Amino acid sequence: PQQAVAPLQRALRIEREEFGPDHPRVAATLRTLAHAFGALGDFMQQHRLLEEVLGIVERTHGREGGRAMQARDDVQQAALGEEAAAASPSTPSGAASRPPRLQRASSPLTVVRWRGSLYGEGDPGKQVDALDRTL
């Protein structure tokens, strides 16, 4: 991840100049850069970058829909990592422990996020069935 940060930062500068600050490619590179910082244990930087991604997604695609929901969930996951880092600032590797992967998602139409997948989206009647099949 450390080797990826500088090239991603250069790519981000170029993409912002070429496509503008709200282009989907900019958001994609920001997201990748954010996850590189998360892998390095820098959850504060990860959280900041993912909030920027959320802003781009909401401006270009609106506040509703799958892209916005995924971006909000990414921000929420980074916030959990930031909280874990604040609660346990020193670990053997110097990185904070990973945030939990099982959590409530930000949308009331989603029951659970587990191992990176959303279960129970859409019809509330199907939420329990999807959760039961998963567990």
Side-chain angles (χ1 to χ4, degrees), residues 1-2 34-46 78 81-82 84-86 88-89 91 93-99:
Q2 182 64 46
H35 289 299
F37 278 112
L40 293 170
D42 189 345
F43 296 111
M44 184 179 291
Q45 182 71 349
Q46 180 187 33
E82 202 172 353
S88 173
T91 58
S93 67
S97 62
R98 292 305 233 166

Side-chain angles (χ1 to χ4, degrees), residues 32-132:
T32 303
L33 182 59
H35 289 299
F37 278 112
L40 293 170
D42 189 345
F43 296 111
M44 184 179 291
Q45 182 71 349
Q46 180 187 33
H47 189 203
R48 187 187 72 70
L49 292 172
L50 289 171
E51 284 182 333
E52 190 173 347
V53 170
L54 176 59
I56 293 170
V57 168
E58 288 181 343
R59 286 189 298 276
T60 58
H61 299 289
R63 295 180 57 87
E64 303 301 321
R67 289 182 178 147
M69 186 171 68
Q70 179 63 51
R72 279 191 297 277
D73 287 345
D74 287 346
V75 169
Q76 181 185 29
Q77 194 68 35
L80 290 172
E82 202 172 353
E83 289 173 14
S88 173
S90 60
T91 58
S93 67
S97 62
R98 292 305 233 166
R101 297 305 298 169
L102 179 64
Q103 68 186 49
R104 290 183 189 268
S106 59
S107 168
L109 296 178
T110 303
V111 172
V112 71
R113 170 187 275 282
W114 187 61
R115 291 188 182 172
S117 298
L118 296 175
Y119 294 92
E121 286 186 76
D123 184 317
K126 294 179 183 176
Q127 292 177 348
V128 174
D129 292 339
L131 184 58
D132 285 343

Side-chain angles (χ1 to χ4, degrees), residues 4-6 8-9 12 28-38 45 49:
V5 170
L8 284 168
Q9 288 172 328
L12 184 60
T29 301
L30 276 168
R31 187 171 189 267
T32 303
L33 182 59
H35 289 299
F37 278 112
Q45 182 71 349
L49 292 172

